[in-house]
Amino acid sequence: MNLKILSILLLFLQSNLLTSQTIKKLDGTILPAPMLTKKIDELMKASNVQGMAISVFNKNRSVYKKVFGYKRIDIKDTMLTNTNMYGASLSKAVFAVLVMKLIEVGKITLDKPLHTYLPKPIYEYGKGTSWNQDYTELKNDTLYKKITARMCLTHTSGFPNWRWQNPDEKIAVIYTPGERFNYSGEGLTYLQFILEKITARTLEQLMDEKIFKPLRMTKSAYTWRPDFESNYATGHASDNKLYEKDKDNAARSASTLETTLDDYTLFLDAMLQKKILKRSSYKEMFKTQYRIRTKAQFGPLSRNTVTTDFDPIQLGYGLGWGVIHTPNGIGAFKEGHGDGFQHYSILFPAKGIGILMMTNSDNGEKIFKELLTYSIGDTWTPWQWEGWGM
């Protein structure tokens, strides 16, 4: 039998095994897997979600793993569990685990100013080989010297989300580090730069050694690989138009993860089973490091509007993950959002329950709220703060 056909058959059989069970929700009620499949089909059709990949976790492992729709709708190319998908900010959750591993072996600490790890000022390293390695504009900026790894992981570094959002599109610290939450990809790539200099290894090398190979995540990388060409998802606009696939990104810890449903499910299995970090590291990572009291994660309401709306769930940030407090214990969440790709994951470690939803559609977030409630009984995710449906 042709090896490609055999591989597809094995994936199909594995998917059927994982979707033949029942799902236990957070409130203890049981959901038959076929009912969830039917619900997903209905929601996707109603909201024109072109493709979706989903895993549901019970007892610290995936019990439902299934794909729906198309990786490219114009040619009706069917999504597979090993189809490569752009991970967007799901990248940050994986990177946070890498950072914790390096902390465990003493390469870095959470609270030492990051610039002190370098033998010379960061602006003296030149422009690098990609824009995110260029810190020459920090020469006259003294605030960056306050930034620590904890601040980067909690989005309190003071950097904007990305430098091109500054009026002059140059890197600069816009808030005093440590004083306020401001979601920042720049903060994570700054931490990446420091780690690469400390270890004399690239992000890809560190990820392969510390995360991907130990977890057998063979189809994940922070840069595009030739073997992704034969099986990848194209991003879709809300009207089915295709986004051009970006394949020339430099590795960025905050945003360039390429992964699959199979691989990211392995990652979340490991998080629930506490496989690759010490228990003390998981405790620190999922602990509220900074309370958030803004009405939204992005936009004007993220800067100047204070609210008590999310006090009942004590919305905050841990290390690389958002954190909420619920009657079912801590909920640790991470979303991903880019042109044509919208994702969300949340874990409830005390219950061993969680979910991963990945879509290659600008319409994906339209169905997340209802799907969270229906599938695992999650009514605590702060969907208004996430901006779903707005």
Side-chain angles (χ1 to χ4, degrees):
M1 183 181 292
N2 182 282
L3 288 177
K4 185 175 181 180
I5 295 175
L6 179 60
S7 175
I8 293 173
L9 179 60
L10 288 172
L11 288 168
F12 175 77
L13 291 172
Q14 181 188 41
S15 178
N16 279 346
L17 286 172
L18 282 173
T19 56
S20 64
Q21 306 177 32
T22 56
I23 295 164
K24 186 175 181 179
K25 299 165 75 168
L26 290 165
D27 62 3
T29 59
I30 299 300
L31 174 66
M35 289 183 63
L36 177 56
T37 298
K38 182 174 182 292
K39 185 68 170 179
I40 294 170
D41 280 329
E42 292 171 351
L43 290 173
M44 288 180 64
K45 183 177 180 180
S47 294
N48 190 33
V49 176
Q50 291 85 1
M52 185 169 195
I54 180 170
S55 281
V56 179
F57 303 83
N58 277 181
K59 296 182 179 179
N60 297 321
R61 65 184 181 88
S62 174
V63 295
Y64 179 98
K65 184 172 68 173
K66 193 170 177 64
V67 288
F68 298 81
Y70 303 102
K71 55 189 175 186
R72 181 167 171 164
I73 198 169
D74 61 331
I75 57 174
K76 299 295 189 289
D77 198 358
T78 304
M79 187 81 76
L80 301 172
T81 61
N82 68 343
T83 294
N84 173 270
M85 295 184 76
Y86 169 57
S89 284
L90 292 180
S91 308
K92 296 177 174 72
V94 186
F95 179 64
V97 175
L98 172 66
V99 175
M100 296 306 290
K101 285 193 72 68
L102 294 175
I103 287 172
E104 287 180 351
V105 297
K107 288 291 185 181
I108 196 172
T109 67
L110 282 170
D111 295 313
K112 182 178 178 180
L114 289 171
H115 82 98
T116 63
Y117 287 99
L118 301 178
K120 61 183 180 180
I122 195 168
Y123 51 79
E124 291 186 6
Y125 284 86
K127 294 183 178 294
T129 58
S130 63
W131 63 263
N132 57 289
Q133 295 176 334
D134 180 3
Y135 292 98
T136 56
E137 298 296 336
L138 291 180
K139 184 173 183 179
N140 298 315
D141 189 326
T142 58
L143 285 177
Y144 85 90
K145 294 182 178 181
K146 298 176 180 286
I147 298 173
T148 66
R150 192 187 302 273
M151 294 173 191
C152 294
L153 293 171
T154 57
H155 297 283
T156 60
S157 67
F159 281 124
N161 190 9
W162 295 112
R163 63 187 68 188
W164 59 77
Q165 294 172 336
N166 285 336
D168 60 3
E169 298 188 356
K170 295 178 180 179
I171 185 68
V173 181
I174 59 175
Y175 302 115
T176 302
E179 288 193 357
R180 63 182 294 170
F181 177 87
N182 187 70
Y183 193 88
S184 177
E186 288 286 356
L188 275 293
T189 53
Y190 173 71
L191 177 54
Q192 171 193 340
F193 184 91
I194 301 295
L195 293 180
E196 289 180 326
K197 297 305 179 186
I198 290 172
T199 62
R201 297 174 70 76
T202 66
L203 177 65
E204 289 284 42
Q205 289 170 331
L206 289 168
M207 282 293 179
D208 282 341
E209 177 187 341
K210 304 292 186 181
I211 309 291
F212 296 152
K213 288 182 179 177
L215 295 182
R216 304 189 311 280
M217 295 171 66
T218 59
K219 300 287 286 184
S220 294
Y222 277 73
T223 50
W224 184 259
R225 295 193 329 219
D227 59 298
F228 296 159
E229 287 286 350
S230 62
N231 182 17
Y232 69 90
T234 299
H236 297 81
S238 58
D239 60 358
N240 290 344
K241 290 182 180 178
L242 306 179
Y243 286 101
E244 183 178 354
K245 177 62 181 175
D246 193 351
K247 300 178 183 179
D248 62 354
N249 281 320
R252 293 193 293 275
S253 57
S255 60
T256 62
L257 176 67
E258 302 281 348
T259 191
T260 68
L261 176 63
D262 287 334
D263 274 16
Y264 212 83
T265 297
L266 289 172
F267 173 69
L268 294 182
D269 275 340
M271 293 300 96
L272 286 168
Q273 296 167 23
K274 297 179 172 60
K275 275 186 176 180
I276 55 176
L277 292 175
K278 296 176 181 177
R279 287 185 175 270
S280 59
S281 295
Y282 284 106
K283 184 177 180 180
E284 188 70 21
M285 189 164 59
F286 292 154
K287 181 177 76 174
T288 301
Q289 306 283 335
Y290 189 89
R291 277 291 305 278
I292 296 172
R293 292 183 170 86
T294 59
K295 276 190 171 290
Q297 183 171 201
F298 297 107
L301 294 181
S302 71
R303 294 189 287 272
N304 302 315
T305 307
V306 176
T307 182
T308 59
D309 291 353
F310 307 115
D311 283 1
I313 58 172
Q314 299 177 54
L315 174 63
Y317 233 83
L319 300 176
W321 302 65
V323 175
I324 57 176
H325 293 249
T326 80
N328 296 284
I330 292 292
F333 65 89
K334 190 70 200 79
E335 65 282 278
H337 190 122
D339 288 345
F341 293 91
Q342 296 180 352
H343 316 311
Y344 186 74
S345 66
I346 187 167
L347 303 178
F348 294 87
K351 289 281 190 175
I353 290 174
I355 190 169
L356 166 66
M357 302 178 290
M358 303 177 72
T359 71
N360 60 333
S361 172
D362 278 347
N363 295 323
E365 290 172 355
K366 293 180 180 179
I367 69 174
F368 286 176
K369 177 178 178 287
E370 186 172 353
L371 192 49
L372 283 170
T373 302
Y374 189 85
S375 60
I376 64 170
D378 171 17
T379 59
W380 296 279
T381 282
W383 62 271
Q384 305 98 320
W385 184 77
E386 292 283 355
W388 297 345
M390 292 179 149

